[in-house]
């Protein structure tokens, strides 16, 4: 692929991809039903966890500047099986995320036209609730945005950073007007659903921070990955966290949390304070934000799919790059078709829970892979150190999962959380005494193993804050992925590996022959 992107492009690609993918979509739903005014703290908690994950992505993207993002990184460090499970969740995340944005785009546009988020949807009473509102407009939006993404990387990048500047100005307007017209009385009670509601909402609003991982897949198209990727990813995520907290605070000060519109929170909020004209400005901004998120998401999702196809885990047909546009057209079409089908049937609350749990699972694996990368090198790490590393990782993951389960079940109270946190601390401390066998040459995550271990803990904790239905959907999807891997994926990857070995041996023979001639 063409190397045409700089840190400036990545900064705005990240901003354009992330801002709009959740802040206009999920904030109203979680402020009203999940956290109340404390939604501000939910965004802060999610932002902290997302920043830890962004650091892990950045180190990999600098050291391994190829397309495929987390799939490529996990395949290198944890092997084909884990990479395939991640690949399945990446594709699921891509499909569900695009479908959710398409549905939200439809809701905002309908609210702007006729104050009814379901105005363009078709109700089918015989279908199960959550899947009974057909949305042809969402399908139309997905087809158009994916078509633009197929036209060329550079064109999409320019369009994204120009439109992101407009978004920044409108966000500034929302924050200023929200604080000017806000009432502190709307912030009382601040914790209507308690601490559990804050973290439950934090797990769902994590959607608002996703998209930066799509930018990490642009490494193959970045001019200077070692400089541009850290600046673009870390800089944009820090800025976005502050913006989100301010936007969430502006919303809950403008309108009492019990009166927030779930489907189009910001546009309706301005109508509720008597600024009807601003409703249209905010709606247009939200639509633009979601459109750029769809554009960048389409670019990243297609590149994930391309790398997965290159490994033959799915047919290599989807790895083909169009000679004129330089974009993976077939992979983009695959994402477009399936996300359109999902968007046609599925409601936003169903999509948001599935999306969040898949994303958090992938980010947790990325932190594990980073620790493995730092502490394990094949044929160099002693068996004793390898056993210690595996035990430490097992205890870190196990203590984090147990702590999340205890939090979700309300068993043992603070004693259980304290014990789980102490065990996590001891395991991380034990890992810190192991010899580091690989040090990044250009840029790396600081305070290893503490920050990656903390990333594992926060991601698992947020996963544990989601409802049981999200886990059941996640487990069902994972079971389907495993069946596909056992019957198709494992054979395809074995054939490719066997072919590569044969070509390597053949190449070595040629080299030996040439040496003999010389």
């Amino acid at each position: 692929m063409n190397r045409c992107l700089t840190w400036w492009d990545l900064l705005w690609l990240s901003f354009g991809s992330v801002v709009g993918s959740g802040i206009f979509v999920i904030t109203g739903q979680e402020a009203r039903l999940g956290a109340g005014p404390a939604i501000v703290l939910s965004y802060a908690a999610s932002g902290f966890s997302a920043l830890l994950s962004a650091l892990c992505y950045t180190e990999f993207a600098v050291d391994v500047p190829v397309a495929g993002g987390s799939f490529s990184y996990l395949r290198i460090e944890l092997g084909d099986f884990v990479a395939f499970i991640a690949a399945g969740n990446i594709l699921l995340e891509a499909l569900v995320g695009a479908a959710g944005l398409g549905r939200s785009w439809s809701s905002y546009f309908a609210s702007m036209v006729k104050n009814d988020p379901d105005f363009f949807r078709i109700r089918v009473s015989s279908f199960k609730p959550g899947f009974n509102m057909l949305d042809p407009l969402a399908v139309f939006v997905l087809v158009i945005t994916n078509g633009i993404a197929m036209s060329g990387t550079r064109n999409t990048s320019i369009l994204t950073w120009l439109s992101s500047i407009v978004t920044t100005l409108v966000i500034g307007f929302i924050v200023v007007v929200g604080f000017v017209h806000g009432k502190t009385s709307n912030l009382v009670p601040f914790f209507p659903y308690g601490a559990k509601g804050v973290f439950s909402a934090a797990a769902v609003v994590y959607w608002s921070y996703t998209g930066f991982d799509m930018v990490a897949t642009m490494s193959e198209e970045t001019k200077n990955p070692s400089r541009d990727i850290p600046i673009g990813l870390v800089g944009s995520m820090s800025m976005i966290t502050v913006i989100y907290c301010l936007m969430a605070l502006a919303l809950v000060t403008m309108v009492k949390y019990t009166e927030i519109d779930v489907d189009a929170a910001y546009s309706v909020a301005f109508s509720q304070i008597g600024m009807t004209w601003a409703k249209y400005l905010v709606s247009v901004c939200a639509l633009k934000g979601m459109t750029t998120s769809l554009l960048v998401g389409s670019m990243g999702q297609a590149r994930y799919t391309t790398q997965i196809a290159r490994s033959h885990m799915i047919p290599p047909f989807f790895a083909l790059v169009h000679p004129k546009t330089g974009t993976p057209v077939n992979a983009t079409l695959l994402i477009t078709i399936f996300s359109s089908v999902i968007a046609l049937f599925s409601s936003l609350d169903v999509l948001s829970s599935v999306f969040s749990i898949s994303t958090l699972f992938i980010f947790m694996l990325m932190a594990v892979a980073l620790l493995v990368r730092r502490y394990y090198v094949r044929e160099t790490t002693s068996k004793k150190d390898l056993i210690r590393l595996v035990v430490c990782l097992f205890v870190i993951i196990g203590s984090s999962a147990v702590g999340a389960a205890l939090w979700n079940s309300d068993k043992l109270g603070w004693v259980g959380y304290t014990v789980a946190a102490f065990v996590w601390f001891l395991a991380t401390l034990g890992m810190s005494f192991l010899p580091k066998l690989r040090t990044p040459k250009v840029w790396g995550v600081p305070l290893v193993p503490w920050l990656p271990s903390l990333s594992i803990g926060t991601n698992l904790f947020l996963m544990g804050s989601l409802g049981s239905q999200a886990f059941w959907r996640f487990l069902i999807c994972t079971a389907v992925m495993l069946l596909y891997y056992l019957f198709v994926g494992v054979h395809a990857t074995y054939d490719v590996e066997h072919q590569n070995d044969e070509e390597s041996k053949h190449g070595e023979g040629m080299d030996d022959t040439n040496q003999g001639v010389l």
Side-chain angles (χ1 to χ4, degrees):
M1 301 185 191
N2 300 326
R3 291 192 177 274
C4 57
L5 302 176
T6 66
W7 67 267
W8 179 259
D9 296 310
L10 293 178
L11 184 72
W12 289 108
L13 279 171
S14 180
F15 187 90
S17 174
V18 175
V19 177
S21 61
I23 187 66
F24 291 109
V25 177
I26 297 296
T27 308
Q29 170 184 299
E30 292 308 307
R32 180 166 179 172
L33 305 176
I39 187 70
V40 179
L41 300 182
S42 300
Y43 269 108
S46 288
F48 176 72
S49 180
L51 184 58
L52 292 176
S53 297
L55 290 172
C56 296
Y57 267 90
T58 301
E59 179 172 326
F60 274 107
V62 170
D63 277 1
V64 192
V66 297
S70 53
F71 169 73
S72 297
Y73 311 145
L74 292 172
R75 195 174 184 217
I76 291 169
E77 299 301 333
L78 302 180
D80 277 347
F81 177 72
V82 174
F84 178 81
I85 297 301
N89 278 280
I90 288 166
L91 291 176
L92 179 64
E93 175 191 3
L95 299 174
V96 170
L101 280 174
R103 298 279 298 198
S104 298
W105 201 102
S106 174
S107 292
Y108 261 88
F109 187 71
S111 296
M112 187 171 63
V113 172
K114 202 177 178 180
N115 286 327
D116 179 8
D118 295 325
F119 180 64
F120 293 107
R121 292 176 182 143
I122 303 168
R123 181 182 295 275
V124 181
S125 56
S126 59
F127 288 2
K128 183 179 179 181
F131 303 93
N132 61 340
M133 298 293 288
L134 305 187
D135 199 335
L137 180 59
V139 174
F140 175 77
V141 171
L142 287 170
V143 170
I144 296 299
T145 52
N146 281 278
I148 296 173
M150 283 188 283
S151 68
T153 301
R154 186 60 182 168
N155 295 338
T156 307
S157 172
I158 293 173
L159 177 62
T160 299
W161 70 259
L162 284 174
S163 59
S164 294
I165 293 173
V166 178
T167 300
T168 304
L169 296 175
V170 177
I171 286 174
F173 169 79
I174 292 173
V175 172
V176 171
V177 173
F179 289 154
V180 169
H181 290 267
K183 299 176 182 178
T184 55
S185 59
N186 289 335
L187 299 178
V188 180
F190 193 73
F191 293 98
Y193 302 101
K196 189 172 290 291
V198 172
F199 288 106
S200 177
V204 177
V205 301
Y206 206 92
W207 183 339
S208 302
Y209 289 98
T210 56
F212 70 84
D213 53 321
M214 299 300 177
V215 177
T217 66
M218 305 295 177
S219 300
E220 195 173 310
E221 296 158 273
T222 302
K223 292 180 180 179
N224 187 354
S226 62
R227 180 199 65 185
D228 297 339
I229 292 175
I231 295 174
L233 280 181
V234 178
S236 61
M237 288 306 296
S238 301
M239 175 176 62
I240 288 166
T241 300
V242 174
I243 289 173
Y244 279 176
C245 290
L246 291 174
M247 288 186 69
L249 185 58
L251 177 64
V252 293
T253 53
M254 268 196 298
V255 182
K256 189 72 174 178
Y257 77 94
T258 54
E259 300 173 3
I260 292 175
D261 185 271
V262 172
D263 293 295
Y266 285 93
S267 61
V268 175
F270 278 94
S271 294
Q272 290 172 312
I273 64 172
M275 298 180 66
T276 306
W277 63 271
K279 162 189 170 179
Y280 298 100
L281 175 66
V282 174
S283 293
V284 170
C285 176
L287 292 174
K288 194 253 17 124
M290 286 182 268
T291 303
T292 52
S293 292
L294 283 168
L295 283 171
V296 181
S298 176
M299 291 169 64
Q301 291 152 8
R303 281 145 187 80
Y304 271 131
T305 308
T306 297
Q307 199 67 11
I308 294 168
R310 285 174 178 174
S311 71
H312 287 224
M313 287 186 179
I314 60 175
F317 170 76
F318 296 109
L320 299 178
V321 177
H322 196 278
K324 290 185 178 179
T325 63
T327 57
V329 174
N330 296 339
T332 307
L333 284 173
L334 177 69
I335 297 294
T336 303
I337 293 169
F338 281 96
S339 61
S340 297
V341 172
I342 295 172
L344 182 63
F345 293 96
S346 305
S347 65
L348 185 59
D349 58 336
V350 172
L351 296 173
S352 61
S353 62
V354 174
F355 183 90
S356 293
I357 198 168
S358 293
T359 302
L360 290 164
F361 177 70
I362 294 166
F363 288 173
M364 184 274 292
L365 288 178
M366 283 293 296
V368 172
L370 182 67
L371 291 173
V372 171
R373 182 172 181 80
R374 290 290 193 97
Y375 290 98
Y376 173 73
V377 175
R378 186 179 297 176
E379 298 180 358
T380 301
T381 303
S382 66
K383 185 177 181 180
K384 186 177 180 181
D385 286 339
L386 177 59
I387 292 174
R388 289 176 178 173
L389 175 62
V390 171
V391 170
C392 288
L393 280 173
F394 179 80
V395 175
I396 288 170
I397 295 171
S399 60
S400 300
V402 168
L406 291 174
W407 170 265
N408 198 38
S409 63
D410 281 329
K411 292 182 178 179
L412 300 181
W414 65 270
V415 176
Y417 316 144
T418 303
V419 171
F422 184 68
V423 172
W424 170 89
F425 175 82
L426 289 179
T428 307
L429 181 64
M431 184 178 289
S432 68
F433 289 111
L434 293 174
K436 293 180 184 175
L437 300 179
R438 186 184 280 115
T439 303
K441 296 179 181 178
V442 181
W443 192 94
V445 177
L447 299 177
V448 173
W450 296 99
L451 290 187
S453 180
L454 186 59
S455 180
I456 293 172
T458 55
N459 284 320
L460 284 173
F461 181 79
L462 291 176
M463 284 178 68
S465 299
L466 292 167
S468 59
Q469 285 190 343
F471 273 92
W472 279 115
R473 291 164 184 152
F474 174 74
L475 291 174
I476 291 170
C477 291
T478 302
V480 173
M481 296 171 200
L482 287 173
L483 289 174
Y484 177 88
Y485 181 75
L486 290 174
F487 289 104
V488 180
V490 69
H491 304 289
T493 52
Y494 173 81
D495 291 341
V496 173
E497 189 66 29
H498 183 69
Q499 179 183 343
N500 291 339
D501 289 342
E502 291 295 325
E503 291 175 354
S504 177
K505 290 178 182 178
H506 180 69
E508 289 174 3
M510 292 295 292
D511 289 341
D512 292 341
T513 302
N514 291 337
Q515 289 290 336
V517 172
L518 290 174

